[in-house]
Amino acid sequence: MDTILVVNAGSSSVKFQVFAAQSSGELTRKIKGQIDGIGTRPRLRGSDADGAQSADREFRPEDVADVPAALHAAAAWLRDELRINPTAIGHRVVHGGPDFDRPVLVTAEVLARLERYVPLAPLHQPHNLAPIRSILARSPDLPQVACFDTAFHRGHSAIVDHYAIPERFYTEGVRRYGFHGLSYEYIATRLPQVAPEIASARVIVAHLGSGASMCALAGGRSVESSMGFTALDGIPMGTRPGQIDPGVLLYLIEQKGMSAAAVADLLYRECGLKGLSGISNDVRELQASKDPRAQFALDHFCYRVALHAGMLASALGGLDAFVFTAGIGENSADVRARVAARLEWLGAELDAAANAAHAMLISRQGSRLALYVVPTDEELMIARHTSALLRPTR
Ligand code: AMP
């Protein structure tokens, strides 16, 4: 039996999960954990698969100063207190560049190639790669698998993944990659089980979380994404604006004298629901607020989701189903109702009671556009890929 550690490393936090993998390929989630406040107020929290808390402790900043140190602390907790020794690690890596269209077993050569993609995702890729590099140096025989957010979209046609800019930029990697691919891939594998009638049809999946994007699926394959070169494009997010006229950025730089770093900070941390409402990036807080700016931000968000649905429906040449997923999509009946109302022209008829009950199928019988809520599970997708890549070698 393999024990797979799934790692999702960001700039100031590392999320991890542990799965037991039977030789049949069956996976069982054992542990969920997270270390946040890396370098400032490091705190480890862990629970079993049912959410029962099994650890909550703080570290001195100098003891957990960076992402590799955080993973080291998590591994020590797993080993010393839970007697868990991973036999493989699956990592979420944001960028697989133009080449990687599937997960890959990491070697020194693979890592060197992935490091070449740092300029394509400077805020995320270095944090994803740092623990891989450190584990490769310490434990070269421990299999590590890199799973990419871009890979599921690599089958996009040239028309889809080009910007209308000189070809030399495309050649050096300025392309519309699309992200959240592990989430969309998971949903594509779930649909044949939970909604077989739409699994091979024209489907939009809306991954509405603190990061948010939408994907057009034809026969279970990604054919278009609302995101492009970076995870900034598309629909508004918790703190990112989504699609924005590049002229706004020129204005900020030329007229307001903002540096590239200041613009990046604005785009990644101060825009979206947070910037527009001036209240919060959290949909729960906006829903609870009586402030008209909160309602306006939610309305704007739903309007942009529906607007992008129109674009993706055009890419698909029609639309049979719309699937909501991720934190907002799975939990906010209010957002789903607002989006569904804007999709009536595409044939959506919401079943209000099913929506309020967070049912899987939330459209009325006979609705021309089927509406679904399907919980995503990116960590399970990473564990599946890791397990599948290990099996041939065992
Ligand atoms: P994710 O990134 O997928 O974990 O989604 C996180 C976001 O989901 C939060 O920032 C909230 O905006 C939203 N969310 C989570 N739970 C709820 C809920 N019960 N109702 C509305 N929104 C929620």
Side-chain angles (χ1 to χ4, degrees):
M1 190 183 75
D2 277 309
T3 302
I4 296 173
L5 175 64
V6 170
V7 175
N8 182 355
S11 57
S12 65
S13 75
V14 174
K15 294 182 188 148
F16 59 93
Q17 296 194 6
V18 176
F19 291 81
Q22 312 296 335
S23 49
S24 63
E26 193 191 330
L27 290 157
T28 313
R29 196 183 326 259
K30 297 288 184 192
I31 300 289
K32 288 183 182 184
Q34 151 158 9
I35 294 195
D36 47 29
I38 294 171
T40 53
R41 280 193 66 183
R43 180 174 178 191
L44 164 72
R45 273 169 292 185
S47 65
D48 65 18
D50 300 324
Q53 191 171 304
S54 48
D56 186 353
R57 71 190 54 162
E58 296 191 2
F59 297 86
R60 292 185 307 174
E62 59 271 30
D63 290 339
V64 180
D66 56 20
V67 174
L71 197 53
H72 193 60
W77 172 62
L78 293 172
R79 184 185 59 236
D80 299 341
E81 295 183 32
L82 305 181
R83 306 274 169 254
I84 291 175
N85 286 299
T87 49
I89 305 184
H91 296 266
R92 181 179 189 172
V93 175
V94 69
H95 227 299
D99 303 330
F100 290 103
D101 63 355
R102 65 199 63 190
V104 62
L105 202 56
V106 178
T107 60
E109 294 73 39
V110 166
L111 185 58
R113 269 171 86 186
L114 296 180
E115 279 168 351
R116 289 215 293 272
Y117 305 140
V118 165
L120 301 182
L123 299 180
H124 298 98
Q125 192 85 344
H127 305 298
N128 302 156
L129 298 185
I132 300 181
R133 190 181 316 109
S134 133
I135 293 164
L136 194 62
R138 269 178 210 236
S139 313
D141 296 329
L142 182 62
Q144 297 193 81
V145 173
C147 301
F148 306 105
D149 267 320
T150 49
F152 188 61
H153 304 295
R154 288 316 301 143
H156 286 182
S157 68
I159 269 191
V160 169
D161 82 349
H162 268 75
Y163 288 108
I165 57 177
E167 186 66 11
R168 63 179 185 279
F169 293 112
Y170 180 87
T171 308
E172 68 179 60
V174 184
R175 305 179 186 192
R176 295 189 61 243
Y177 292 98
F179 296 88
H180 292 132
L182 292 158
S183 174
Y184 295 126
E185 187 180 10
Y186 175 79
I187 299 291
T189 65
R190 278 294 280 162
L191 289 182
Q193 296 156 11
V194 300
E197 59 286 357
I198 60 152
S200 56
R202 298 163 299 183
V203 180
I204 290 175
V205 184
H207 177 107
L208 309 180
S210 46
S213 73
M214 294 162 64
C215 175
L217 292 180
R221 291 179 50 245
S222 168
V223 297
E224 179 57 280
S225 161
S226 64
M227 277 181 170
F229 179 59
T230 68
L232 282 172
D233 204 1
I235 53 180
M237 298 166 230
T239 59
R240 293 171 248 166
Q243 184 184 37
I244 188 167
D245 181 343
V248 174
L249 311 184
L250 295 177
Y251 170 80
L252 296 176
I253 294 164
E254 290 171 2
Q255 305 301 321
K256 308 293 278 186
M258 286 173 72
S259 66
V263 172
D265 196 55
L266 177 83
L267 293 176
Y268 278 97
R269 295 195 178 85
E270 299 299 331
C271 293
L273 293 172
K274 179 183 174 193
L276 197 53
S277 69
I279 297 170
S280 172
N281 57 326
D282 193 316
V283 165
R284 285 165 291 201
E285 277 185 52
L286 298 179
Q287 285 176 169
S289 170
K290 296 270 180 286
D291 191 318
R293 293 175 307 162
Q295 293 309 310
F296 180 75
L298 286 173
D299 242 352
H300 178 85
F301 176 74
C302 297
Y303 167 70
R304 300 297 301 187
V305 170
L307 198 65
H308 278 265
M311 286 193 225
L312 298 182
S314 169
L316 288 165
L319 191 62
D320 302 304
F322 190 98
V323 176
F324 293 92
T325 194
I328 303 167
E330 291 167 29
N331 295 299
S332 176
D334 177 41
V335 163
R336 291 194 302 257
R338 292 183 201 228
V339 171
R342 292 185 180 277
L343 299 182
E344 279 175 9
W345 68 278
L346 277 167
E349 290 178 53
L350 185 72
D351 178 334
N355 185 42
H358 303 288
M360 181 103 61
L361 178 63
I362 57 167
S363 50
R364 274 189 234 144
Q365 214 178 8
S367 174
R368 200 152 44 80
L369 182 67
L371 304 170
Y372 283 88
V373 182
V374 179
T376 193
D377 196 339
E378 291 155 290
E379 291 78 13
L380 179 58
M381 200 66 234
I382 294 172
R384 277 189 198 157
H385 281 309
T386 305
S387 167
L389 271 181
L390 292 180
R391 251 177 282 145
T393 63
R394 294 284 159 97

